[in-house]
Amino acid sequence: MIGETLAVCAALAYGLAGVLIVRGKATARGDNGAFLSVVMTAVMSGLLWLGWGTVAVGDVVTAEGLRAVGIFALAGVLANVFGRQSMYRATEMIGAVRAGLLRRLTPLFVVPCAFVILGDIPDPVTLLGGGIVLTGVLIYMRMPKRMAPSAPGAGLGLALGVLSAVAYALAYTFRGLGLDIAPDAALGTCIGALVGGVWILVRAVGGKGVGHGWRHITADRSPHHLQAALALTAGQLLQFFALKHATVLSVSVLGTLEVLFSALFVWLITRSEPIAITRLLVASVMAMAGTALLVL
């Protein structure tokens, strides 16, 4: 039960992170701590690799190791630049619960990504699972108008939430390809976060100038921003350890609890968004069932 417990803790951390992102937006002067979260992920996963990694430093500088590094770097840009940045903006615009539910689409998007990149042909059970997940998400997204977000950016927030799920799906596909060569998730996560962080830094400095760009990505270091970054990093690392003690199926299904934890934290902490609890429970159960079929 150790793996399953860690998977639940990871879902709880991810659920809390979404609420903290929304809370941090009120005092944000720059990117709301998104860059901070990438740096923290790089540091923590790097320490994890150095302490408990299964791939030695010498193996990284071989031809095959460098190939894996390149794949991890590409996955890092997809996950930390497009995936995480879009997730931050979507969470700010449509709330932690709806953004978290859109991330449940990630396993669904992995199916076409794996087909195009890896040549994996989905079977009927996989297609059924994807259909169930999509139906569950649509059930909640089609809430009554009185409960739907009325902010002008709601439509853009939904689009960014879907973009985040697509980016994470591509990142997971490439990360899986890299792990076939260098089977160390901590190493892959560290390389991805480092490359993603450098990409964000260069883009900010190049687009806004050195001074303004640096301030934009480093200004937000309040307790809420630090807590959000820590929660995201904790979720990722707990999920890593969970996969060492439990099956991918168990960890994936329990990961869908993130949405329910987000709803709980919204109710306890912020009351920042309306929650249709019955629809959410139905959508969560369908996400669990569909995810189980997707990863079987």
Side-chain angles (χ1 to χ4, degrees), residues 248-296:
V248 173
L249 175 60
S250 298
V251 175
S252 299
V253 171
L254 291 172
T256 62
L257 292 173
E258 171 196 343
V259 181
L260 296 179
F261 284 131
S262 289
L264 175 63
F265 287 125
V266 166
W267 181 74
L268 289 175
I269 299 174
T270 64
R271 305 292 177 95
S272 58
E273 59 183 290
I275 298 172
I277 189 62
T278 301
R279 287 173 177 261
L280 182 61
L281 289 172
V282 171
S284 297
V285 170
M286 295 184 73
M288 284 186 179
T291 300
L293 293 174
L294 280 167
V295 299
L296 275 176

Side-chain angles (χ1 to χ4, degrees), residues 78 82-84 86-87 90 99-110 113 158-172:
L78 289 165
F82 297 100
R84 188 173 300 200
S86 297
M87 180 268 290
L101 194 57
L102 285 174
R103 281 197 298 280
R104 297 304 102 213
L105 294 173
T106 298
L108 171 62
F109 289 127
V110 167
C113 290
L158 291 172
L160 287 173
V162 174
L163 173 62
S164 178
V166 173
Y168 275 123
L170 283 167
Y172 293 158

Side-chain angles (χ1 to χ4, degrees), residues 78-93:
L78 289 165
N80 295 288
V81 178
F82 297 100
R84 188 173 300 200
Q85 299 282 307
S86 297
M87 180 268 290
Y88 258 79
R89 303 291 87 82
T91 303
E92 294 166 358
M93 293 177 179

Side-chain angles (χ1 to χ4, degrees), residues 130-173:
I132 292 174
V133 171
L134 180 59
T135 302
V137 171
L138 291 176
I139 284 174
Y140 190 77
M141 291 302 166
R142 291 180 61 83
M143 290 194 303
K145 289 184 178 180
R146 60 184 176 82
M147 299 193 68
S150 56
L156 177 59
L158 291 172
L160 287 173
V162 174
L163 173 62
S164 178
V166 173
Y168 275 123
L170 283 167
Y172 293 158
T173 304

Side-chain angles (χ1 to χ4, degrees), residues 6-65:
L6 291 173
V8 172
C9 291
L12 188 149
Y14 279 128
L16 178 61
V19 176
L20 291 171
I21 288 170
V22 174
R23 198 170 187 181
K25 180 60 178 175
T27 59
R29 295 174 294 160
D31 71 346
N32 195 16
F35 179 71
L36 173 65
S37 73
V38 174
V39 172
M40 190 175 292
T41 298
V43 172
M44 296 300 292
S45 58
L47 292 174
L48 185 64
W49 171 56
L50 292 174
W52 295 275
T54 57
V55 175
V57 176
D59 296 329
V60 175
V61 296
T62 64
E64 281 295 284

Side-chain angles (χ1 to χ4, degrees), residues 227-255:
Q227 290 162 7
L230 181 60
L232 278 173
T233 301
Q236 196 162 14
L237 296 180
L238 285 167
Q239 199 171 62
F240 167 75
F241 279 113
L243 287 167
K244 286 182 171 291
H245 298 281
T247 64
V248 173
L249 175 60
S250 298
V251 175
S252 299
V253 171
L254 291 172

